[in-house]
Amino acid sequence: MHNVVIIGSGCAGNTAAIYTARAGLNPIVIAGHEPGGQLSLTTEVENFPGFPEGIQGPELVENMKKQAQRFGAEYRHGTVIEADLSKKPVRLNMDGEWIETRSLIIASGASARWLNLPSEQKLIGHGVSSCATCDGFFYRGKEIMVVGGGDTAMEEANFLTRFGRRVTLVHRRNEFRASKIMLDRAMANPKIEIVTPAAVQEVEDGGTGLVTGVTLKNLETGEVWRREVDGLFVAIGHIPNTKPFAGQMDLDADGYIVSHGGARTSVTGVFHAGDVQDRVYRQAITAAGAGCMAAIEAERYLEAEEH
Ligand code: NDP
């Protein structure tokens, strides 16, 4: 039986691990299916305080992990596939192994949303990507397409013009969810062509195993046409990683954990930290702050439980 188990090894989970380890609680961190979280998928981080010259995302998150390990946090490779929060101690199924814990910090983050076309799924990592900062480099001088109408899509489209010959931004509506400044920037970029209202119907590889083109449909006129592209970046939002907790705690309609004040969830002794609850700020520094809050809450909960 553990004092505290932390699900997730991104900024939130690692910070919770540093705090709970320093409090002598011997935390167990379950690294999850994307170890290091979203920072491990980025390059330069320029807005994390304390690094005047910036720092690489993977280095930042690795440093946090080392810091937590220095105080005794134990990291385990694995993913929580099932949970029982109905009684104490809380039980977690990590890839078939059941783990019991007196308190739990859920810092499992949010994962990229996909179009869910079989042809798209087949070509992830072979021309289909959800991370421009990770994969943009591979498309120097190439034809790139970005799908989405939010800030992420605008940001990725702008970023990808550093590499691509042309970036086509495809969005399903004529109105954009993106903030005006981000949309204006994309519209003013001569290398970005915006196509609306349109949807990607099929991703093609022409038998090569790499993306060669897409089939697009105009959602107003029904017109269908083909476009040659080398890289397809899907930027249509994220899905919080809360599947094992569905029906066991308050989640909102999109699956994000509902906060019950501070880092508290609807289940006593279970706390949230980072993007699994935060759909607004989604920053490394806010996730780190949330990890600290969850750790302090868990510490106080355990202390109160003992008295
Ligand atoms: P959003 O939820 O804001 O936007 C998702 C976009 O994808 C929408 O335009 C949506 O279309 C579209 N979409 C969703 N599902 C599908 C689908 N199945 N097929 C086609 N299109 C689809 O997500 P973002 O990731 O863009 O942004 C998330 C949050 O992060 C926002 O609050 C954003 O402001 C913030 N952010 C801020 C940045 C910054 O300030 N620098 C940078 C990046 C993100 P529709 O509009 O029709 O629903």
Side-chain angles (χ1 to χ4, degrees):
M1 162 108 83
H2 303 290
N3 291 317
V4 55
V5 168
I6 298 163
I7 305 177
S9 54
C11 250
N14 284 329
T15 306
I18 292 168
Y19 273 77
T20 50
R22 286 192 79 248
L25 295 174
N26 303 315
I28 302 294
V29 181
I30 301 179
H33 65 281
E34 289 170 11
Q38 296 197 51
L39 269 189
S40 65
L41 304 177
T42 57
T43 50
E44 190 81 7
V45 178
E46 293 182 322
N47 54 10
F48 200 91
F51 300 94
E53 306 303 326
I55 184 168
Q56 294 294 310
E59 189 186 347
L60 176 58
V61 81
E62 186 57 30
N63 283 346
M64 291 181 188
K65 179 180 169 183
K66 283 188 195 147
Q67 195 173 343
Q69 284 174 321
R70 179 156 81 89
F71 297 111
E74 183 189 328
Y75 283 71
R76 294 206 186 156
H77 293 290
T79 306
V80 171
I81 51 174
E82 198 183 346
D84 180 5
L85 309 182
S86 63
K87 48 188 181 299
K88 302 288 184 278
V90 159
R91 295 172 73 237
L92 303 167
N93 180 346
M94 187 186 87
D95 302 320
E97 177 198 348
W98 283 95
I99 295 171
E100 293 189 343
T101 180
R102 293 167 63 204
S103 72
L104 174 65
I105 295 175
I106 304 174
S108 48
S111 300
R113 188 190 296 275
W114 297 101
L115 297 169
N116 281 328
L117 302 167
S119 54
E120 168 214 44
Q121 293 295 301
K122 194 182 82 179
L123 291 165
I124 291 174
H126 303 278
V128 174
S129 170
S130 67
C131 178
T133 42
C134 322
D135 299 329
F137 183 78
F138 302 118
Y139 298 94
R140 271 182 199 283
K142 299 271 172 84
E143 193 69 41
I144 299 175
M145 184 171 283
V146 175
V147 185
D151 282 335
T152 304
M154 301 307 136
E155 196 170 67
E156 300 219 330
N158 269 312
F159 175 76
L160 289 165
T161 59
R162 291 190 203 177
F163 308 102
R165 184 165 71 232
R166 173 174 59 175
V167 176
T168 307
L169 181 74
V170 175
H171 177 42
R172 63 184 177 185
R173 296 187 295 137
N174 292 324
E175 298 76 38
F176 290 86
R177 207 178 277 267
S179 53
K180 188 175 177 320
I181 185 167
M182 305 277 281
L183 178 61
D184 287 350
R185 210 175 284 164
M187 286 174 114
N189 189 324
K191 283 175 90 177
I192 297 180
E193 184 190 329
I194 298 181
V195 177
T196 63
V200 172
Q201 283 206 309
E202 211 62 61
V203 188
E204 299 160 10
D205 67 356
T208 65
L210 290 173
V211 170
T212 53
V214 297
T215 308
L216 291 168
K217 183 177 186 180
N218 183 309
L219 298 173
E220 232 159 49
T221 64
E223 181 197 355
V224 173
W225 75 102
R226 192 182 170 278
R227 184 71 165 268
E228 283 186 10
V229 298
D230 304 294
L232 177 71
F233 288 82
V234 181
I236 59 172
H238 289 81
I239 301 172
N241 297 314
T242 51
K243 214 168 159 192
F245 314 110
Q248 303 201 55
M249 61 162 48
D250 283 0
L251 303 178
D252 72 12
D254 295 323
Y256 286 87
I257 294 178
V258 175
S259 179
H260 279 242
R264 289 185 290 280
T265 69
S266 58
V267 181
T268 53
V270 179
F271 306 95
H272 61 72
D275 286 7
V276 73
Q277 182 272 327
D278 169 23
R279 57 198 299 159
V280 178
Y281 303 106
R282 300 164 168 274
Q283 299 299 301
I285 187 65
T286 51
C292 161
M293 287 164 66
I296 291 174
E297 295 270 6
E299 218 180 301
R300 289 182 182 162
Y301 167 80
L302 290 171
E303 214 172 86
E305 206 196 21
E306 279 165 12
H307 294 110

